Amino acid sequence: MSPPVIRRMSVPCDANLHASIETILIMFGWELTHLWQLDLLKDNGMHETLAASFSDMDQDAPLAADLKVSNVLTPEGPQVVLIYDYGDGWQMLITPI
């Protein structure tokens, strides 16, 4: 999107990852009616799933509700992609700072 839509938020490292991601979704005006997952964005452009809002037998990703923010996001850590609503495929880049 040009220009990019940017939001900043402060989250304690021991905050629940699921609640923190849902806060991001609310900040962008989404209504939390779809599934989502958080992926590591690798240098080669590929994604590796880090956590999800749901349990999927075919996917070996932990539930975000069982993780703290510090389990996935670290200051100066790699960027991650939040994928929301698999049908529409909304994606947002999260950059820990």
Side-chain angles (χ1 to χ4, degrees):
M1 180 174 266
S2 183
V5 178
I6 298 171
R7 302 284 187 274
R8 283 186 174 226
M9 67 184 265
S10 239
V11 178
C13 289
D14 63 347
N16 180 273
L17 181 63
H18 188 93
S20 298
I21 296 300
E22 289 199 341
T23 300
I24 291 171
L25 294 171
I26 290 167
M27 288 171 62
F28 278 90
W30 289 325
E31 298 179 2
L32 310 177
T33 57
H34 300 284
L35 300 174
W36 55 264
Q37 72 185 43
L38 198 60
D39 289 359
L40 172 67
L41 181 58
K42 295 184 173 188
D43 291 336
N44 63 4
M46 300 297 289
H47 291 211
E48 176 185 330
T49 303
L50 299 171
S53 64
F54 63 98
S55 180
D56 184 349
M57 299 293 277
D58 297 328
Q59 189 175 3
D60 193 24
L63 283 173
D66 296 335
L67 299 173
K68 294 180 180 180
V69 169
S70 62
N71 294 127
V72 177
L73 303 173
T74 59
E76 308 302 325
Q79 294 181 324
V80 295
V81 176
L82 174 59
I83 301 168
Y84 179 70
D85 185 355
Y86 299 120
D88 287 336
W90 294 99
Q91 294 187 19
M92 100 175 39
L93 188 62
I94 298 175
T95 304
I97 54 173

